[in-house]
Amino acid sequence: MQFIGKVTGIHGLKGEVTFSHQLKRNTRFSQWDCLMVELNPGSFIPFFIESIKSIANDECICKLEEINNRDEAKLILNKFVYSSINYTIDTMNTINLQQYIGYTVQQGDQLI
């Protein structure tokens, strides 16, 4: 498994979610069977993909089979997303700063 991004929002009423990723443009999501979502630290749960489409170079809208409404989608909001173990992923050569959201940077006694 490889870190690919983070669930960043809920789209619509049927449980679709948006997730940002650090994958290359030509990634063929249509060939993927599932995304691994880290619900708790070290706990990776497969969520099977019903449909997925790119909406930007680094963002997708995804409908997962197990999630059927906004309340269920909220359970995976802001969770990290990993590739299924079945795929080798080419990531962009940029640093994805979203994986550091929620951390505090400190230099000596000073918060940055």
Side-chain angles (χ1 to χ4, degrees):
M1 272 186 313
Q2 185 175 349
F3 173 80
I4 58 172
K6 183 178 181 178
V7 177
T8 55
I10 300 171
H11 182 82
L13 301 173
K14 297 180 181 178
E16 293 174 312
V17 295
T18 56
F19 77 93
S20 62
H21 61 80
Q22 57 182 17
L23 302 175
K24 291 189 176 184
R25 283 179 129 181
N26 61 353
T27 300
R28 293 186 172 169
F29 290 111
S30 61
Q31 296 177 351
W32 292 22
D33 58 347
C34 70
L35 296 174
M36 303 298 286
V37 178
E38 188 176 20
L39 291 181
N40 296 307
S43 174
F44 304 97
I45 308 299
F47 283 85
F48 293 92
I49 299 170
E50 189 173 308
S51 65
I52 190 167
K53 65 179 179 177
S54 291
I55 57 173
N57 289 340
D58 62 349
E59 195 169 34
C60 289
I61 294 176
C62 185
K63 172 66 176 91
L64 301 171
E65 289 180 2
E66 299 85 356
I67 298 176
N68 298 305
N69 58 54
R70 292 181 66 83
D71 290 333
E72 292 174 353
K74 287 178 186 178
L75 299 175
I76 64 167
L77 190 59
N78 297 315
K79 300 295 183 181
F80 295 127
V81 177
Y82 294 79
S83 66
S84 169
I85 58 173
N86 301 328
Y87 302 101
T88 302
I89 306 300
D90 288 331
T91 57
M92 291 188 281
N93 294 328
T94 59
I95 297 172
N96 182 7
L97 298 178
Q98 290 184 335
Q99 65 186 342
Y100 299 108
I101 292 174
Y103 288 91
T104 304
V105 178
Q106 184 172 345
Q107 183 176 14
D109 292 335
Q110 182 180 10
L111 291 176
I112 299 176

